[in-house]
Amino acid sequence: MFTEIDHAAAGKKFGIDMRPRTVLIFGNPKLGTPVMAKTPLLAIDNPPKALVWEDDQGKVWLSYNSADYLYKTIYPRHGLETPPNYAAFAKVLSDITDEATK
């Protein structure tokens, strides 16, 4: 976990009330940094993020871009091919999000 951005807390400072909305920025610098060093514009889409948010009924959700989206949409947008560790990243992402929602 690199950092989190609490949008509701930021809005409250300016008199704007909103339900909880927190962006979590995470990743593995050992894996992500070499790719961004070769392709600097990838940094606009990377590292991965997740949004923890509450809807109007009070239900809490976890939203994030899947590994498929990252490697089949984002990477090609930057002229990159799907890396060989794709399946491993997909499993880690699945495990993390499954654990986070328990």
Side-chain angles (χ1 to χ4, degrees), residues 28-97:
N28 182 333
K30 189 175 181 179
L31 298 176
T33 304
V35 180
M36 285 189 285
K38 290 191 314 187
T39 311
L41 291 178
L42 180 62
I44 196 75
D45 295 306
N46 216 23
K49 296 168 272 314
L51 173 65
V52 180
W53 60 285
E54 182 180 274
D55 68 18
D56 291 341
Q57 289 71 45
K59 186 173 181 178
V60 177
W61 298 87
L62 176 67
S63 300
Y64 60 94
N65 290 331
S66 68
D68 274 348
Y69 182 78
L70 176 65
Y71 290 127
K72 294 181 180 177
T73 301
I74 299 297
Y75 266 48
R77 180 185 324 168
H78 296 285
L80 297 167
E81 293 183 18
T82 300
N85 65 344
Y86 162 74
F89 177 76
K91 176 153 180 24
V92 167
L93 185 59
S94 177
D95 291 347
I96 289 170
T97 55

